[in-house]
Amino acid sequence: MNDAPRFSQRQIIYAVVAVVWIVSPLFLDNYQTDVLNTVGLYAILALSLNVILGYGGMFHMGHAAFYAIGAYTTAILSTQFGVPTMWTMPIAGILAGVFALIVARPIIHLRGDYLLIVTIGMVEIVRIAIINDAVSSAAKFLNKGFMLLGIQDWALCEKIANASTGGPNGIFGVAAPSIFGFEINGIVNTTHYFFLITAFLAATILLFFLLERSRYGRALRYLCSDEIAAEGSGVNTSGYKLSAFVIGAFWAGMAGTLFAGKITFISPTSFTFAESVTLFMIVILGGSGYIPGVILGALLVVGLPEIFQDFQKWRMLVFGIVLVIMMVLRPQGIMPPKPPKYPIHKVDEREVTL
């Protein structure tokens, strides 16, 4: 009997695509490689949104808020506190997750369009707070607290008092990521940054693949299919939905670190409502709840406009029309998830007792 593993046609295609992706910088110039870096970054962000939208079934169009918090956390810690960029990644993720926990807790009971409208307001509030430099006001307030405690002589206190988002001008001079002393500059050498993005994308795919097939992932899918039935079966719907928000925000915050380290400069214009719309389109267009579909959506939404640059000004109009058509004709996306197959165990008639 042949016990060799059998690979499906789809698995072979995925393996070929992965190999082509990894070796592609060998045949591309710096600009084309940088486009792949952008596609990879948006794929990571879309996969984090997919936890909320695809698995949890919650209409969320404020994901750029978590992305912005992660990017600004890295920029502030790097430029004003001298913390290495890669060390800021878990801090950026935690702060984005805490923000999601605080903001999402009061609105987690909302459904459909109502939740969508509230999350749109969320991203605008964060963007306005960045422009008005709310961090500077909070830092000065915190420094006054230190003074009341009599610890204003600490060198760290002065740095905290000067913490700022830079307002509408943004923050310049974010340090490039470095691993074991090897600097990875996304502007000077796009190939080096490509492998950093690819490594993080591979970790993201593996993590969410395991999450999708875990008990937690099955509960989220059950909730997405029928929230009332899931709640009636004993699933803590509010807890699962809130945790999905926190997980997606945490991962988006860490992706913000990659973005800040890539371009070494961030400003509020990088985190507008249009960014959230782009991420939403990637998930819906590619295939909500399916990892390969989300990656395909990132290639189509982010990669194609770079190929057809002459028509780039029509990008939002074209994608808006395509999105409406997809919602009407194929709401499950270009590459939807396959329905789960459960094995059917045959029962021996001799074992059945009356």
Side-chain angles (χ1 to χ4, degrees):
M1 183 177 179
N2 187 9
D3 294 331
R6 295 181 179 180
F7 298 98
S8 66
Q9 183 179 2
R10 181 171 289 194
Q11 290 174 331
I12 294 174
I13 293 174
Y14 293 159
V16 172
V17 170
V19 172
V20 171
W21 173 272
I22 293 173
V23 302
S24 58
L26 301 176
F27 308 98
L28 302 176
D29 57 25
N30 284 337
Y31 170 74
Q32 293 169 335
T33 304
D34 188 60
V35 171
L36 290 184
N37 290 341
T38 304
V39 171
L41 180 63
Y42 273 87
I44 294 169
L45 286 167
L47 287 171
S48 67
L49 175 60
N50 188 51
V51 177
I52 304 172
L53 177 60
Y55 298 159
M58 294 171 282
F59 283 180
H60 169 49
M61 204 175 279
H63 211 57
F66 308 140
Y67 179 37
I69 290 173
Y72 269 93
T73 299
T74 294
I76 292 172
L77 292 177
S78 174
T79 59
Q80 301 170 25
F81 293 87
V83 181
T85 299
M86 294 304 293
W87 289 16
T88 67
M89 181 175 284
I91 303 174
I94 291 172
L95 289 180
V98 170
F99 175 78
L101 180 64
I102 295 172
V103 174
R105 184 64 186 90
I107 64 172
I108 203 65
H109 64 281
L110 298 176
R111 299 180 184 179
D113 299 340
Y114 299 101
L115 180 62
L116 186 71
I117 294 171
V118 173
T119 55
I120 292 173
M122 181 197 306
V123 70
E124 284 301 301
I125 290 172
V126 170
R127 188 181 65 86
I128 293 172
I130 291 172
I131 294 175
N132 293 331
D133 202 357
V135 170
S136 178
S137 301
K140 291 177 181 178
F141 179 79
L142 184 61
N143 193 56
K144 289 181 180 179
F146 289 152
M147 293 177 66
L148 292 175
L149 296 175
I151 55 176
Q152 67 269 22
D153 294 333
W154 286 4
L156 182 61
C157 294
E158 183 178 355
K159 292 184 178 180
I160 292 176
N162 295 326
S164 171
T165 62
N169 296 323
I171 300 177
F172 293 84
V174 181
S178 60
I179 299 178
F180 302 113
F182 180 75
E183 186 178 87
I184 306 174
N185 195 314
I187 298 176
V188 177
N189 194 321
T190 57
T191 302
H192 290 168
Y193 215 88
F194 170 83
F195 289 110
L196 175 63
I197 290 283
T198 299
F200 198 79
L201 176 60
T204 303
I205 293 172
L206 177 61
L207 174 67
F208 291 147
F209 176 81
L210 296 175
L211 184 140
E212 179 184 345
R213 281 156 178 75
S214 66
R215 181 178 180 180
Y216 174 82
R218 291 195 298 270
L220 275 182
R221 286 193 174 278
Y222 188 20
L223 187 152
C224 179
S225 299
D226 194 328
E227 183 176 346
I228 297 176
E231 188 172 5
S233 300
V235 176
N236 183 4
T237 55
S238 296
Y240 275 97
K241 289 164 71 174
L242 186 61
S243 61
F245 253 100
V246 173
I247 292 173
F250 174 81
W251 213 255
M254 293 201 297
T257 297
L258 295 176
F259 174 74
K262 175 178 180 291
I263 64 174
T264 69
F265 160 71
I266 58 173
S267 67
T269 56
S270 300
F271 309 103
T272 59
F273 173 63
E275 290 296 307
S276 295
V277 174
T278 300
L279 295 173
F280 192 86
M281 283 196 301
I282 290 173
V283 177
I284 296 297
L285 186 64
S288 177
Y290 191 48
I291 292 175
V294 173
I295 297 174
L296 175 63
L299 285 169
L300 295 177
V301 175
V302 180
L304 281 183
E306 297 297 332
I307 297 176
F308 302 101
Q309 287 190 359
D310 295 338
F311 305 97
Q312 191 169 9
K313 64 180 180 180
W314 301 99
R315 180 183 64 174
M316 298 305 294
L317 176 62
V318 172
F319 279 124
I321 295 173
V322 172
L323 192 62
V324 171
I325 294 174
M326 289 292 298
M327 292 294 287
V328 174
L329 301 181
R330 193 175 174 84
Q332 67 271 32
I334 297 174
M335 190 182 292
K338 298 176 67 176
K341 294 181 179 180
Y342 300 100
I344 300 176
H345 301 284
K346 294 182 178 180
V347 179
D348 192 343
E349 295 180 357
R350 292 173 295 180
E351 297 178 0
V352 178
T353 58
L354 298 176

